[in-house]
Amino acid sequence: MPKLAHLTSIAHNLADSLSSGCGFMIGMYDMDIHGEAAASKEGFIDVDFLSGETAGGRVSASLAAAIERYREELPELCRRHKVDVADFGALKVRFGGAGLDRYCVVTVKDRRGRSSVDEYRGSPAARVKVLDALGRVRSR
């Protein structure tokens, strides 16, 4: 059973790839999930990478095709990382914002039920940092 952090890093790779609009791993290079999310009345798009389903704002046909390609490629990505896709209990990402305010919130659950929720901002997607009570920089 892989560590939750390993599953989280795989999820971040997927989220960053889709967020950037350059899906090298799926052979699609013109996606704008943040633009579509910002243009929707909901202001976000949720992607379930295990099922290929979306929620929130409506997605274009080309974005839906890209998301399906990510779902299809996930088992191979997991194999390269020496994990099984079945190790994921959930792998969902919420995409929102546009331009410099783009964000994604990555939610991962392993098959034991342990979970992780991490927020990333910008391009490339970087973990949000805050100052703690002692003035040290920490991940949120």
Side-chain angles (χ1 to χ4, degrees), residues 101-134:
D101 291 329
R102 65 198 309 163
Y103 69 89
C104 53
V105 178
V106 178
T107 302
V108 174
K109 185 181 287 188
D110 69 11
R111 62 181 168 182
R112 290 185 192 163
R114 295 178 301 171
S115 63
S116 169
V117 178
D118 296 305
E119 181 179 354
Y120 300 90
R121 292 204 171 261
S123 181
R127 200 176 288 245
V128 175
K129 304 288 186 181
V130 296
L131 293 178
D132 69 9
L134 298 175

Side-chain angles (χ1 to χ4, degrees), residues 59-125:
V59 298
S60 65
S62 63
L63 183 56
I67 291 167
E68 180 61 21
R69 297 278 301 274
Y70 278 106
R71 185 195 65 76
E72 292 168 354
E73 185 61 27
L74 180 58
E76 175 60 21
L77 178 63
C78 288
R79 186 193 64 74
R80 288 193 309 262
H81 283 267
K82 300 190 181 350
V83 300
D84 188 332
V85 72
D87 291 327
F88 285 98
L91 196 173
K92 298 179 181 184
V93 181
R94 173 167 286 190
F95 296 91
L100 297 175
D101 291 329
R102 65 198 309 163
Y103 69 89
C104 53
V105 178
V106 178
T107 302
V108 174
K109 185 181 287 188
D110 69 11
R111 62 181 168 182
R112 290 185 192 163
R114 295 178 301 171
S115 63
S116 169
V117 178
D118 296 305
E119 181 179 354
Y120 300 90
R121 292 204 171 261
S123 181

